[in-house]
Amino acid sequence: MSGEPIPREAPLPSRGSLLVRITAATALALPAVVTLAGGLHPPPVPAVPVFGAGVLSAAILLTWAAETARADLPGPLAVALLALAAVLPQYALDLYYAHYDGTRAPYTALAAATMTGANRLLVGVGWALAALAFALG
């Protein structure tokens, strides 16, 4: 025994604290959900913070879900499910554009552009922003 202190794990947050955090993240996404469900079409400038906050809160909730899943699932499976959930909406949009590619010519360029652009944003910005939000939260 060298007399060094034994490192302890950080205490777990209380249940009330977790509920407050989840409620705050869900409330942050609520304006985007209401805007989409209500069929509203705000101008681009006000829409950016509304939908940006919705995407950020969804990333935070996905991160928490992945941390929870690691307790019940093998680590690689939890990460694979998180990655699938993160990119599935983009691939759904690509399928939509690919479906209409045969009938409407302008969709050809959109299908390729959204696939490459979204993957670049996801890898370059999306994961870093989610990690930053998790570190600050």
Side-chain angles (χ1 to χ4, degrees), residues 17-114:
S17 172
L18 290 175
L19 288 176
V20 167
R21 290 177 184 184
I22 291 172
T23 303
T26 304
L28 189 62
L30 199 57
V33 173
V34 169
T35 301
L36 286 175
L40 303 174
H41 301 286
V45 173
V48 168
V50 169
F51 294 118
V55 169
L56 180 61
S57 64
I60 291 169
L61 291 170
L62 277 173
T63 302
W64 286 337
E67 286 293 320
T68 304
R70 282 184 43 207
D72 297 328
L73 299 172
L77 179 60
V79 170
L81 291 175
L82 174 66
L84 180 65
V87 298
L88 200 56
Q90 180 57 44
Y91 292 134
L93 182 66
D94 288 329
L95 284 174
Y96 172 80
Y97 284 147
H99 172 72
Y100 284 106
D101 183 27
T103 58
R104 300 178 189 153
Y107 285 94
T108 305
L110 291 176
T114 58

